[in-house]
Amino acid sequence: MASQRPTTTFCWLPPDSYSRSRFAALLTERGDDPEVARAVGQVRELTGAPDAGTAEVEKTLNAWLDEDRKATPLKTLQGLIWSEGFARGDLVSHFYDDVVPELRAWHAAGVRLYVYSSGSVAAQRAWFTNSPEGDLTSLVSGLYDTENAGAKQEPASYRRIAESAGIPGERLLFLSDRPGELDAARAAGWFAVGIRRPGEPYYEQGVGDHAQAGTFDDISISTPGSST
């Protein structure tokens, strides 16, 4: 699939098991940390339980993981846990074999790359810093999450990102495996392509009426002045 747009954003889904094993320690040991306290307060607000204790907050976080709920406080706390895990050497980020070569090729061709994920900006930064191929953050021009951009199934979030990046929507391409997100991006005036990889959680549901690709190799992006 060819696109004549010079900018792309994409998302990724890190594993949840590590987060589950570390929620209790984070809430207990770093409960006074301003970022942790703010996230816990958001959990209590969202659940309507202002007096919820550590055990109840942890139970809520695990339930949200089970539901695959993209709750901002959940993603904030996950990001802190992943950052600690990377720093300790417990975690190494995963990229499919086709992804990093394409990111490098697009970047070298002048394509500006952005990340918009339900995972927090802190988690995104840790993920790209600790790849098996070294620090990849130099490839990325900006990081967006549900806190600084908004919910991923709302067109306003994509308009907000376009304004922040200083790029009109008709020059932006969004990649995702979630049809609701692709719909929202398109409603904001972006191009949208669904990524479908066998074995991934959302493979069977498809990507609606959007163009689709099985790997990043299937996507060709034209920059101004190119003949593609």
Side-chain angles (χ1 to χ4, degrees), residues 4-228:
Q4 298 181 350
R5 307 303 167 213
T7 306
T8 183
T9 65
F10 57 95
C11 69
W12 42 267
L13 296 169
D16 293 331
S17 58
Y18 189 78
S19 303
R20 293 181 191 274
S21 71
R22 298 293 303 170
F23 279 141
L26 178 70
L27 296 172
T28 301
E29 298 169 8
R30 295 182 57 185
D32 293 331
D33 181 298
E35 195 166 10
V36 174
R38 179 169 59 87
V40 169
Q42 291 172 336
V43 172
R44 290 169 174 159
E45 181 179 355
L46 288 171
T47 58
D51 300 319
T54 298
E56 189 173 350
V57 170
E58 181 187 4
K59 182 178 179 180
T60 296
L61 295 172
N62 286 324
W64 286 348
L65 285 180
D66 292 337
E67 299 166 7
D68 192 27
R69 183 169 174 179
K70 311 302 183 183
T72 294
L74 168 63
K75 298 305 179 180
T76 296
L77 295 173
Q78 279 186 310
L80 294 174
I81 288 171
W82 290 331
S83 294
E84 291 179 351
F86 284 121
R88 282 195 298 267
D90 293 345
L91 300 175
V92 176
S93 59
H94 169 264
F95 291 83
Y96 285 99
D97 291 342
D98 57 282
V99 172
V100 175
E102 285 302 312
L103 296 185
R104 286 180 169 150
W106 291 341
H107 182 265
V111 176
R112 289 163 61 183
L113 305 171
Y114 296 83
V115 181
Y116 178 30
S117 174
S118 56
S120 69
V121 165
Q124 295 172 33
R125 187 172 292 112
W127 196 261
F128 277 83
T129 299
N130 297 277
S131 90
E133 299 191 36
D135 188 348
L136 302 177
T137 54
S138 63
L139 301 178
V140 182
S141 295
L143 305 173
Y144 297 94
D145 60 14
T146 58
E147 189 154 18
N148 65 11
K152 294 189 71 184
Q153 297 195 33
E154 294 180 2
S157 302
Y158 297 85
R159 297 189 186 100
R160 196 172 295 118
I161 291 172
E163 182 177 0
S164 171
I167 302 170
E170 63 268 19
R171 289 182 55 200
L172 288 163
L173 170 66
F174 180 63
L175 310 180
S176 174
D177 60 354
R178 304 293 298 273
E181 297 173 3
L182 296 166
D183 290 344
R186 184 168 59 188
W190 295 32
F191 286 81
V193 172
I195 302 296
R196 295 191 69 205
R197 296 182 186 270
E200 284 296 288
Y202 303 106
Y203 177 80
E204 295 299 331
Q205 74 177 17
V207 294
D209 62 351
H210 297 277
Q212 68 179 49
T215 68
F216 278 27
D217 302 299
D218 294 337
I219 302 167
S220 108
I221 299 176
S222 303
T223 56
S226 73
S227 59
T228 304

